Amino acid sequence: MKISFKQGRGNKVHILLDGEYKMTVDGDFPLLASVREGSEIGEEELEFLENEVNVRRAFNKASDLLSRRDHSEKELLLKLRQKGFSEGAEAAIEKLRDYGYVDDERFAFSYASELQRLKHFGKKRIEQELFKKGVDRSIISDVLDSLEFDENELYDLIMKKYYRNLSTEKGVQKTINALVRAGYGFGEIKAALSLVAENEGEISDE
């Protein structure tokens, strides 16, 4: 089979075999420099070239996804497969890991901090969310150990988001259920609600 190249749009280069289109790569693809126009290519060489092209395409797509926000390895692999990059996806992620572009530990600490700060999730819910992202349990354990929860944070959350519900028994139960789903333990919730009740008495006395 004789290989040839045709310039595509922008930085794209089309690869042809015996004059028929085979695949497209970007102009920066390293192997282009090592393959001469019009040279013969065998089946093994073609298989190697196709594999490298697939890895390159998956790498470029993954890099694009990472430029928008950080991802865990599992999450990134799933997205690549959903977008049709099943071949070469794992090898692409290995390269990204080697370059430091994808790092589950860095992702886990950053994501957990975001969930705590913006979503006001407790440790149990943060653990669940990290597990769903495919983060290793040992990393999750380290992340949870590093998180600091001020007991007043839950009190402030109740006062800000749930205080209007506390006038009825049904509303109190609804609040408890919501906080359990957010990852807080019953002991934490009970203590925070007791603090709300105490402060409510102080306010009414004033």
Side-chain angles (χ1 to χ4, degrees), residues 142-177:
D142 290 341
V143 170
L144 295 178
D145 287 342
S146 74
L147 293 177
E148 295 183 2
F149 285 80
D150 187 331
E151 60 181 9
N152 290 322
E153 287 183 17
L154 183 52
Y155 168 80
D156 292 338
L157 176 61
I158 292 173
M159 293 297 293
K160 181 179 179 180
K161 192 173 182 179
Y162 301 104
Y163 183 71
R164 69 179 67 179
N165 297 337
L166 303 183
S167 59
T168 66
E169 184 176 339
K170 183 178 181 181
V172 170
Q173 188 58 52
K174 183 178 179 180
T175 298
I176 292 173
N177 293 341

Side-chain angles (χ1 to χ4, degrees), residues 52-182:
E52 290 300 305
V53 168
N54 287 330
V55 173
R56 177 75 171 189
R57 291 177 65 243
F59 180 93
N60 288 343
K61 184 59 183 179
S63 297
D64 177 61
L65 291 170
L66 288 170
S67 70
R68 302 175 191 181
R69 71 166 179 83
D70 205 2
H71 291 68
S72 68
E73 288 188 21
K74 181 179 179 180
E75 181 185 22
L76 196 57
L77 180 61
L78 179 60
K79 283 193 175 183
L80 288 175
R81 287 174 172 169
Q82 289 174 337
K83 293 180 180 296
F85 295 92
S86 55
E87 296 181 9
E90 291 187 13
I93 289 178
E94 285 183 15
K95 285 190 175 184
L96 289 163
R97 187 193 309 128
D98 292 341
Y99 292 149
Y101 295 155
V102 60
D103 182 324
D104 272 7
E105 185 172 357
R106 180 187 66 215
F107 166 80
F109 276 90
S110 175
Y111 189 51
S113 177
E114 178 183 323
L115 292 175
Q116 181 186 14
R117 188 179 71 258
L118 301 180
K119 299 287 189 178
H120 305 291
F121 284 168
K123 284 192 174 184
K124 291 181 180 179
R125 180 64 183 273
I126 291 174
E127 179 181 14
Q128 294 170 3
E129 294 299 321
L130 289 175
F131 185 74
K132 286 196 294 186
K133 294 290 187 182
V135 177
D136 187 85
R137 288 192 179 278
S138 63
I139 295 178
I140 294 177
S141 178
D142 290 341
V143 170
L144 295 178
D145 287 342
S146 74
L147 293 177
E148 295 183 2
F149 285 80
D150 187 331
E151 60 181 9
N152 290 322
E153 287 183 17
L154 183 52
Y155 168 80
D156 292 338
L157 176 61
I158 292 173
M159 293 297 293
K160 181 179 179 180
K161 192 173 182 179
Y162 301 104
Y163 183 71
R164 69 179 67 179
N165 297 337
L166 303 183
S167 59
T168 66
E169 184 176 339
K170 183 178 181 181
V172 170
Q173 188 58 52
K174 183 178 179 180
T175 298
I176 292 173
N177 293 341
L179 292 174
V180 168
R181 289 194 298 271

